Amino acid sequence: MSGEDAPAEQQNAVDQKQETKAAEEPKAEPPKTEPAPAAAEATATPAAATEKVPEEDTFTYRALVLTGYGGYDKVKLQVKKGKPALKAGEVLVRVKACGLNFADLMARQGLYDRLPSPPVTPGMECSGVVEAVGEEVTDRKVGDKVMVLNRFGLWQEVAVVPSTHTFLIPEGMSFEEAAALPVNYITAYMMLFDFGNLRPNQSVLIHAAAGGVGIAATQLCKTVKDVTVFGTASASKHETISEGGVTHPIDYRTKDYVEEVRKISPKGMDIILDPLGGSDTHKAYNLLKPMGKLITYGTSNMLAGQKKNLLAVAKNWYHQFSIHTLSLIQGNKSVCGFHLGYLDGEMELITQAMNTILDLYKEGKVKPRIDSTWHLEQVGDAMRKMQERNNIGKVILNTEPMPEEEKKEEPKKEDKKKEDKKKDDKKKDDGKKEEKKDDKKKEEPKKEEEKKEEPNKEEK
Amino acid sequence: MSGEDAPAEQQNAVDQKQETKAAEEPKAEPPKTEPAPAAAEATATPAAATEKVPEEDTFTYRALVLTGYGGYDKVKLQVKKGKPALKAGEVLVRVKACGLNFADLMARQGLYDRLPSPPVTPGMECSGVVEAVGEEVTDRKVGDKVMVLNRFGLWQEVAVVPSTHTFLIPEGMSFEEAAALPVNYITAYMMLFDFGNLRPNQSVLIHAAAGGVGIAATQLCKTVKDVTVFGTASASKHETISEGGVTHPIDYRTKDYVEEVRKISPKGMDIILDPLGGSDTHKAYNLLKPMGKLITYGTSNMLAGQKKNLLAVAKNWYHQFSIHTLSLIQGNKSVCGFHLGYLDGEMELITQAMNTILDLYKEGKVKPRIDSTWHLEQVGDAMRKMQERNNIGKVILNTEPMPEEEKKEEPKKEDKKKEDKKKDDKKKDDGKKEEKKDDKKKEEPKKEEEKKEEPNKEEK
Ligand SMILES: NC(=O)c1ccc[n+]([C@@H]2O[C@H](COP(=O)([O-])OP(=O)(O)OC[C@H]3O[C@@H](n4cnc5c(N)ncnc54)[C@H](OP(=O)(O)O)[C@@H]3O)[C@@H](O)[C@H]2O)c1
Ligand SMILES: NC(=O)c1ccc[n+]([C@@H]2O[C@H](COP(=O)([O-])OP(=O)(O)OC[C@H]3O[C@@H](n4cnc5c(N)ncnc54)[C@H](OP(=O)(O)O)[C@@H]3O)[C@@H](O)[C@H]2O)c1
């Protein structure tokens, strides 16, 4: 494996070499007549750079960059140079924490169509402090603590986004919580309360109930009277999700969840949230009560192994659910598709949802559950934690540089990497089986503890 | 055309001949050991009949019976003999008025799968007075004024239904209104407030906005703040529907309604109610905003001409909308199917909806609009009124026997029948064109006035 493929976590020093092609920025490309983004320009147009004010030239920040599609090692930590320019309506945020989403895993394998081609900085949510505001920004000021939602580009120390994509962090919410909230809670909220029209006494089936969206959805269900939550999750997570509000936890890895649901609720479900896709969407449809709503919002089933698994992808396509109106009419059923990444033109709707969610937060009715927090250097391990089905709640990246002591332990992880490679080559078609075995191997939680013992900041 | 094909309206005396095969009853067939329904038995088992108490034997009532699939003349008025037996939980209702629904037109052509094969009594809603109650009925008593919802079998003077299918008529509501309410308002209510999740400031597209469901839906939209209603209807109805609450009436027969909607609301609609099917369902899907809901609930497009039009049916099938989850996800859209006829197992949901609707009625917020009322003998004309797109609101049948004077005018109608026949033979493929010409021919309204001038009851 070449040095170029080394994952971020294994780089003893961050990758300082300037890329001639800069990672795509989250904001719209500036018109050709304006100066090109500073990062791209730094070496390409040195003459122009020397004319700049010193700060613009000396300003550097670290950014995670997806350099190509593949395994965990495809996300690298790089240093960018030059302060990004602000257009009207934009703010510059000094990022403190970033949320990791399932879509980031898909994106790494080239399976997520809302991320531009590599090289590109992923990351659709973060929290931080406003460091500069562009013209026409009236609702944010320097120093505001904000959480940010964007199509991509937030896994870096500095991010420029439209101010409409930021939300003020309420009193008492940590940066970690703030980075964990936007995607999961807006998704869960809009699915349950817009498409789902959840009302008292109804029943809801939540898959991956111990995941980011799953926990958010469970908490939101509990804000409605007498809602019964059926939740699938790996067995080791059942205690936690029961405490969190799941009425009937189901181990989908050892049992047929459809049968389990029918045993308890023979008529089926009022609402089913389906992040799995493929044949699970069919199962969900058949499990709906009359007037039931199926909300499909993901294709987790496409992910099996560290690198793109063509069989899993093909299976998902092959089983893709398609429905005739006649069947919907005779069944009195509703099928909805949700994708926050395609709602970027609807910031008004999103802001409405966010305001309600923040009210619920302030009332103590919802609270993001953090599974673990990782340094940017550890993004590979962070992704692994989620992909190997070991997270309960949200996986967070924080932008504090990693202490030198931790870095020295890195070589250990090389073994694990080789192991991954073997694994990936051996079985490509059954993600579930693979993950079952991996359950025993619990290196991440240890590392997490290590890290938590050393919260001291250096550099910067 | 043989005498057997004469429509109900043209029978100078009602059809007294006993059918050996009785029209199917709305209730479940009694077990073989119980006495067979009186109507079927009357001539078939004369020995048994003579043993009965006089009332059971002499009890007769008029019933409309669909005798086969085809034109208006396939619905005949017959006399049935023998008092229907009541099972536990059932009530016997003396019917005063019945609602005519679009599905009854489809059913006559063999295009409605919730009506058993002929001979069968159609009719899914009526109003009347409880005349007897079966065992275990605690919520209804003799003398209660009720409206009734049933899968079929209500177009007759006497109907036996489960008491759970009846709803008490509120103070001040006429029998006509009560017969006009159940199907249209429950349908509109569940579509808008369950699947549609209608909220303030949203926009709704209602097709056939001057029809039964259309007017109910418009009134219900108006109970929510700042809802904009786009309504398609034949031009002559625009004034009425504007007064009723349609913000933007659109003449779909002379204009491209999609274009008209886009002109006013470029982003599209939040909710679209689609009773048309076929290619209009595709148009509706494309007209949805992100987070928009398409609720499809009919296939009016299948109906073109008095008898089954194979081309229209085939077209509708050919264009039947089918949707992949990927498209739903990328569009953030919802597609729902609604069919009250398949919700008969969900009387609890229906009763909840009905209670809310009746509250709105009492508050003066909704009120069925009666287009016209016809005698059972005139069922053919009543159906024609709707099928030729001339109704504004609900078409009602009442069970008062038709005065002799009116019957004597019948021969006039024979001409129209011949005309129908010619028309049907000539053009089978374009219902809309056909109906446009028919707009000029307005015999029904006249007849309606005649009828209203003679409300005197005879017989009975
Ligand atoms: N459409 C949208 O706008 C939107 C937004 C956010 C998330 N999503 C979707 O929602 C789902 C959950 O997302 P999330 O970010 O909250 O992640 P998450 O649930 O925290 O994801 C990890 C968990 O998913 C479960 N899982 C199921 N199938 C898996 C697979 N093939 N590989 C790995 N894990 C699998 C595992 O838990 P168990 O074994 O315990 O089930 C795992 O711990 C994903 O499908 C994601 O794409 C969609
Ligand atoms: N799924 C359910 O549970 C349910 C329940 C009730 C009704 N529905 C459906 O809702 C629709 C309306 O039903 P409704 O009972 O209230 O009837 P309605 O709207 O009063 O029906 C008559 C009107 O429909 C319009 N129309 C459109 N296409 C037509 C066609 N091909 N032939 C004749 N008229 C046509 C005409 O008005 P304009 O020319 O002015 O548009 C006509 O005046 C129907 O499709 C029906 O099947 C479904």
Side-chain angles (χ1 to χ4, degrees):
Chain A
M1 201 168 281
S2 78
E4 212 197 302
D5 284 316
E9 57 184 278
Q10 290 177 293
Q11 297 168 295
N12 281 328
V14 291
D15 188 357
Q16 292 269 1
K17 88 174 153 15
Q18 293 300 333
E19 304 229 329
T20 48
K21 186 185 171 204
E24 194 164 338
E25 290 291 316
K27 53 192 178 126
E29 291 286 76
K32 287 272 146 67
T33 50
E34 287 183 22
E41 206 183 300
T43 54
T45 57
T50 53
E51 289 165 26
K52 281 193 178 156
V53 289
E55 200 214 356
E56 299 235 316
D57 206 22
T58 59
F59 189 99
T60 64
Y61 56 100
R62 298 180 312 150
L64 287 171
V65 177
L66 180 67
T67 55
Y69 300 131
Y72 303 128
D73 54 5
K74 291 296 182 190
V75 185
K76 296 185 196 312
L77 188 59
Q78 300 182 344
V79 171
K80 294 195 183 180
K81 255 186 157 180
K83 191 166 188 171
L86 282 186
K87 283 186 293 190
E90 289 182 337
V91 297
L92 185 146
V93 176
R94 173 66 56 179
V95 177
K96 298 291 185 185
C98 311
L100 177 62
N101 285 287
F102 202 91
D104 298 316
L105 308 178
M106 308 273 287
R108 203 194 63 234
Q109 299 193 351
L111 293 173
Y112 183 66
D113 58 0
R114 296 304 277 165
L115 187 73
S117 320
V120 61
T121 290
M124 48 194 94
E125 63 191 338
C126 73
S127 59
V129 180
V130 174
E131 200 166 272
V133 302
E135 279 171 30
E136 293 170 29
V137 173
T138 54
D139 52 347
R140 297 289 174 266
K141 59 183 191 309
V142 172
D144 277 351
K145 291 181 181 179
V146 292
M147 53 192 114
V148 184
L149 183 71
N150 214 52
R151 231 182 77 202
F152 64 97
L154 302 182
W155 284 0
Q156 45 189 350
E157 288 176 329
V158 158
V160 172
V161 294
S163 75
T164 51
H165 287 220
T166 66
F167 311 91
L168 293 174
I169 298 181
E171 201 72 42
M173 186 188 278
S174 70
F175 282 120
E176 267 82 5
E177 278 183 348
L181 188 137
V183 172
N184 292 345
Y185 283 80
I186 293 171
T187 298
Y189 182 88
M190 294 186 84
M191 291 196 296
L192 288 172
F193 294 110
D194 191 329
F195 282 146
N197 194 9
L198 176 63
R199 282 153 304 160
N201 295 307
Q202 292 192 318
S203 53
V204 183
L205 173 60
I206 300 175
H207 287 291
V213 175
I215 288 182
T218 304
Q219 291 178 357
L220 288 167
C221 281
K222 291 289 137 185
T223 66
V224 178
K225 203 164 165 283
D226 298 328
V227 167
T228 306
V229 178
F230 292 71
T232 71
S234 298
S236 61
K237 309 173 183 176
H238 284 199
E239 202 182 316
T240 312
I241 62 173
S242 290
E243 282 165 12
V246 173
T247 327
H248 303 289
I250 300 171
D251 178 10
Y252 71 106
R253 292 165 82 171
T254 60
K255 283 184 180 158
D256 176 341
Y257 69 82
V258 172
E259 261 179 35
E260 296 301 304
V261 170
R262 288 264 183 227
K263 266 189 222 161
I264 301 164
S265 184
K267 279 185 78 175
M269 297 286 102
D270 290 303
I271 298 178
I272 299 178
L273 306 183
D274 163 41
L276 303 173
S279 56
D280 289 292
T281 313
H282 297 253
K283 291 181 187 173
Y285 186 75
N286 293 327
L287 253 185
L288 286 180
K289 270 187 195 169
M291 298 308 292
K293 290 125 194 135
L294 159 58
I295 302 148
T296 182
Y297 68 110
T299 49
S300 292
N301 284 336
M302 275 199 193
L303 207 73
Q306 206 191 128
K307 293 187 187 167
K308 182 147 98 183
N309 180 325
L310 283 178
L311 188 59
V313 173
K315 253 186 176 172
N316 205 284
W317 275 101
Y318 180 77
H319 288 297
Q320 198 198 150
F321 186 66
S322 137
I323 182 75
H324 276 271
T325 46
L326 192 68
S327 162
L328 288 170
I329 292 178
Q330 293 186 342
N332 280 296
K333 291 181 180 183
S334 159
V335 178
C336 321
F338 182 81
H339 197 309
L340 193 53
Y342 282 95
L343 266 187
D344 40 5
E346 304 295 323
M347 285 313 295
E348 211 177 305
L349 279 182
I350 288 177
T351 305
Q352 271 172 25
M354 188 56 130
N355 290 339
T356 312
I357 293 162
L358 292 179
D359 286 344
L360 292 170
Y361 177 86
K362 290 174 204 157
E363 293 165 27
K365 291 188 179 156
V366 301
K367 186 178 174 67
R369 180 193 161 94
I370 311 297
D371 170 76
S372 50
T373 305
W374 308 78
H375 294 288
L376 292 182
E377 292 87 340
Q378 298 171 302
V379 64
D381 282 335
M383 290 190 291
R384 186 196 307 277
K385 180 88 194 272
M386 183 182 259
Q387 189 157 342
E388 294 189 350
R389 308 184 195 227
N390 290 322
N391 65 307
I392 304 188
K394 191 77 180 183
V395 176
I396 293 291
L397 303 173
N398 84 40
T399 56
E400 281 167 23
M402 195 171 172
E404 281 306 319
E405 303 88 286
E406 279 182 54
K407 284 183 190 164
K408 286 185 196 119
E409 294 170 23
E410 291 303 300
K412 265 197 247 156
K413 279 175 220 149
E414 188 61 32
D415 307 337
K416 184 163 59 195
K417 226 185 102 196
K418 282 192 191 128
E419 225 176 283
D420 284 341
K421 178 98 180 75
K422 260 192 285 166
K423 245 175 11 193
D424 273 9
D425 292 348
K426 245 179 23 196
K427 21 191 163 77
K428 292 252 175 192
D429 62 340
D430 195 339
K432 288 181 186 182
K433 260 190 235 148
E434 182 188 340
E435 308 300 349
K436 241 179 257 177
K437 293 195 186 155
D438 294 346
D439 264 352
K440 295 165 206 152
K441 189 170 58 78
K442 296 262 181 197
E443 288 186 54
E444 290 77 17
K446 269 188 247 147
K447 214 182 333 129
E448 203 190 320
E449 285 154 29
E450 274 170 48
K451 191 182 53 56
K452 279 191 179 146
E453 286 162 24
E454 299 177 275
N456 42 320
K457 301 161 201 183
E458 43 157 52
E459 302 174 36
K460 203 177 191 177
Chain B
M1 202 168 280
S2 79
E4 211 195 306
D5 284 315
E9 57 183 277
Q10 290 177 293
Q11 296 168 293
N12 281 329
V14 291
D15 188 354
Q16 294 267 1
K17 89 174 144 43
Q18 295 299 332
E19 305 230 328
T20 45
K21 185 184 172 202
E24 194 162 339
E25 289 293 314
K27 49 185 177 130
E29 291 284 81
K32 287 271 147 67
T33 50
E34 287 184 21
E41 203 185 304
T43 53
T45 57
T50 51
E51 287 166 31
K52 281 191 180 157
V53 290
E55 201 211 358
E56 297 234 314
D57 205 24
T58 58
F59 190 98
T60 65
Y61 56 100
R62 297 180 312 149
L64 287 171
V65 176
L66 179 67
T67 55
Y69 300 131
Y72 303 127
D73 53 6
K74 291 295 182 192
V75 185
K76 298 187 195 309
L77 189 57
Q78 299 182 346
V79 171
K80 294 194 182 183
K81 251 188 162 179
K83 194 165 186 171
L86 283 187
K87 281 186 296 189
E90 290 182 336
V91 297
L92 186 147
V93 177
R94 172 66 55 181
V95 177
K96 298 292 184 183
C98 312
L100 176 63
N101 285 288
F102 202 91
D104 297 316
L105 307 179
M106 308 273 288
R108 202 195 61 233
Q109 299 193 353
L111 293 173
Y112 183 67
D113 57 1
R114 295 305 277 166
L115 187 73
S117 321
V120 61
T121 291
M124 46 194 96
E125 62 191 339
C126 73
S127 60
V129 180
V130 174
E131 201 166 270
V133 301
E135 277 171 33
E136 293 168 31
V137 172
T138 54
D139 51 349
R140 297 288 175 267
K141 58 182 192 309
V142 171
D144 278 350
K145 291 181 180 178
V146 291
M147 52 192 114
V148 183
L149 183 71
N150 214 52
R151 234 181 76 204
F152 64 96
L154 301 184
W155 284 359
Q156 46 188 349
E157 288 176 328
V158 159
V160 172
V161 294
S163 75
T164 52
H165 287 219
T166 66
F167 311 91
L168 292 175
I169 298 180
E171 201 70 42
M173 187 188 276
S174 69
F175 282 120
E176 266 83 5
E177 277 183 347
L181 189 136
V183 171
N184 292 344
Y185 283 79
I186 293 172
T187 299
Y189 182 87
M190 294 189 83
M191 292 196 295
L192 289 171
F193 294 109
D194 192 329
F195 283 145
N197 195 8
L198 177 64
R199 281 153 305 160
N201 294 307
Q202 292 192 319
S203 52
V204 183
L205 173 59
I206 299 174
H207 287 291
V213 175
I215 288 181
T218 305
Q219 291 178 357
L220 288 168
C221 281
K222 291 289 137 187
T223 65
V224 177
K225 205 165 164 281
D226 297 329
V227 167
T228 307
V229 177
F230 292 71
T232 71
S234 298
S236 61
K237 309 173 183 176
H238 284 200
E239 203 182 316
T240 312
I241 62 175
S242 291
E243 283 164 12
V246 173
T247 327
H248 303 290
I250 299 172
D251 178 10
Y252 71 105
R253 292 165 82 170
T254 59
K255 283 183 181 159
D256 177 340
Y257 70 83
V258 172
E259 262 178 36
E260 297 301 305
V261 170
R262 287 267 182 224
K263 266 189 222 162
I264 301 164
S265 184
K267 279 184 78 177
M269 296 287 103
D270 290 302
I271 298 176
I272 299 178
L273 307 184
D274 162 41
L276 303 172
S279 57
D280 287 292
T281 312
H282 297 253
K283 290 181 188 173
Y285 186 74
N286 293 328
L287 252 185
L288 285 181
K289 272 190 194 166
M291 299 307 293
K293 289 127 196 131
L294 159 57
I295 302 147
T296 182
Y297 68 110
T299 49
S300 291
N301 284 335
M302 275 200 194
L303 206 74
Q306 204 191 130
K307 292 188 188 168
K308 183 147 95 181
N309 180 325
L310 282 179
L311 189 60
V313 173
K315 253 188 177 171
N316 204 283
W317 275 101
Y318 180 78
H319 288 296
Q320 197 198 149
F321 187 67
S322 137
I323 182 75
H324 276 271
T325 45
L326 192 69
S327 162
L328 288 169
I329 291 178
Q330 293 187 343
N332 281 295
K333 291 180 180 183
S334 160
V335 178
C336 321
F338 182 81
H339 197 310
L340 193 54
Y342 281 94
L343 267 188
D344 40 6
E346 304 294 323
M347 285 313 295
E348 210 178 306
L349 280 182
I350 288 176
T351 304
Q352 271 172 26
M354 187 57 128
N355 289 340
T356 311
I357 293 162
L358 292 180
D359 286 344
L360 290 170
Y361 176 86
K362 289 173 205 158
E363 294 165 25
K365 290 187 179 154
V366 302
K367 187 177 172 67
R369 182 193 160 94
I370 311 297
D371 171 77
S372 50
T373 304
W374 309 77
H375 293 286
L376 292 182
E377 292 86 342
Q378 297 171 304
V379 63
D381 282 334
M383 291 191 289
R384 184 196 310 275
K385 180 90 194 271
M386 182 182 261
Q387 187 156 343
E388 295 190 349
R389 307 183 196 230
N390 291 323
N391 63 309
I392 304 188
K394 191 77 179 181
V395 177
I396 293 290
L397 302 172
N398 84 39
T399 54
E400 280 169 24
M402 195 170 170
E404 281 305 322
E405 303 87 288
E406 280 182 51
K407 283 184 193 164
K408 286 185 195 123
E409 293 169 26
E410 290 304 300
K412 263 196 246 156
K413 278 175 219 150
E414 187 62 30
D415 306 338
K416 183 162 59 192
K417 226 185 100 198
K418 279 188 195 137
E419 227 175 282
D420 285 339
K421 179 99 179 73
K422 259 191 286 167
K423 242 173 15 188
D424 274 9
D425 292 348
K426 242 179 22 195
K427 21 192 165 80
K428 292 252 172 188
D429 63 341
D430 195 338
K432 288 181 186 181
K433 260 190 235 149
E434 181 189 344
E435 306 304 348
K436 239 181 256 177
K437 292 198 186 152
D438 293 348
D439 265 354
K440 294 166 207 154
K441 190 169 60 78
K442 297 260 183 199
E443 287 187 52
E444 290 74 23
K446 268 188 248 150
K447 214 181 332 133
E448 203 190 319
E449 285 154 30
E450 276 172 47
K451 191 180 54 63
K452 279 189 180 145
E453 285 162 26
E454 301 179 89
N456 41 320
K457 301 164 206 181
E458 42 158 52
E459 307 174 35
K460 204 180 193 176

